[in-house]
Amino acid sequence: MAIPLPRLRTLLGASLAAVSLSVTGFGVATAADDPVETRVIGGERASIEDHPYTVYLTTPSGIQFCGGALVAPDKVATAAHCVEDDSPSSVAVVAGREDKQGTAGEVVGVTDIWVHPDYVTVTSGDDIAVLTLETDLSYATVEFAAAADDAVYAEGNPATILGWGVTETGSSSRYLLQAEAPLTSDATCAAGYGISYDSASMICAGYPEGGIDACQGDSGGPLVVDGVLVGLTSFGRGCAEAGYPGVYTRVGAYAADLEARIAS
Ligand code: 4AZ
């Protein structure tokens, strides 16, 4: 079951329990739970200057638990499962910081958490939330996919995954990592996930043989095609496993929700 080393490219995380769908947030499953050695090598370092909209979420004590994308000076798009049980005072947003141990950038508080009203669990879709920040940030925001923008979701489009999630070491990354994987077809993703994959609300990325993926702690973070936010890391069966690409919230399906939150 282990992925042969030569086939490993980059990956942002380690695999979780091999038979269960795993999501991040507060990390119920850990790499230690994984009976199968499918952990992969770390993704490559990414520059925050190249991806200034990439932010992470922390607990009040500063522990990173998810990613996010700055879609307006005071709005961060993330996954619903990252913040569904949180009050604004229990989340902080860190922007402009590549190194979690550094002090660059800004740490800002959250005044409001909007969770998609239909969100129940990751496999039923609508895994999206919008945080309102207590102060505007001056970092460049990311354009998000429009509802009608099918072209950015075409099979094979090279997509960049960004995050500070768990690496093959079993710990989350100190530095922002990036990895590139192609968007899959709906059929490919459904072949792995069956009815848990909903093409209207999700999009998948990954290679047939696995090896590149997001993982625990990357949730909520951006999946970008041509500089456009197309996805938010949502779930997967383990990480980087053959036949199980990463599943992302299909941002274009929620463009109107994002616009409404930004206008609010
Ligand atoms: C997680 O737990 C998680 N391989 C994120 C992405 C994937 C699996 C798990 C996709 O945050």
Side-chain angles (χ1 to χ4, degrees), residues 157-181:
N157 277 356
T160 302
I161 307 157
L162 290 153
W164 289 262
V166 172
T167 74
E168 77 282 0
T169 65
S171 311
S172 68
S173 179
R174 169 175 172 178
Y175 301 103
L176 175 62
L177 299 182
Q178 65 181 357
E180 193 173 283

Side-chain angles (χ1 to χ4, degrees), residues 11 14 16 21-25 27 65-66 81 193 213-220 233-241 244-248:
L11 169 92
L16 302 179
L21 291 170
S22 51
V23 296
T24 185
F65 64 88
C66 270
H81 81 259
Y193 294 106
D213 203 358
C215 203
Q216 184 180 25
D218 292 320
S219 278
T233 300
S234 182
F235 72 96
R237 189 187 97 143
C239 303
E241 291 188 34
Y244 295 93
V247 188
Y248 300 80

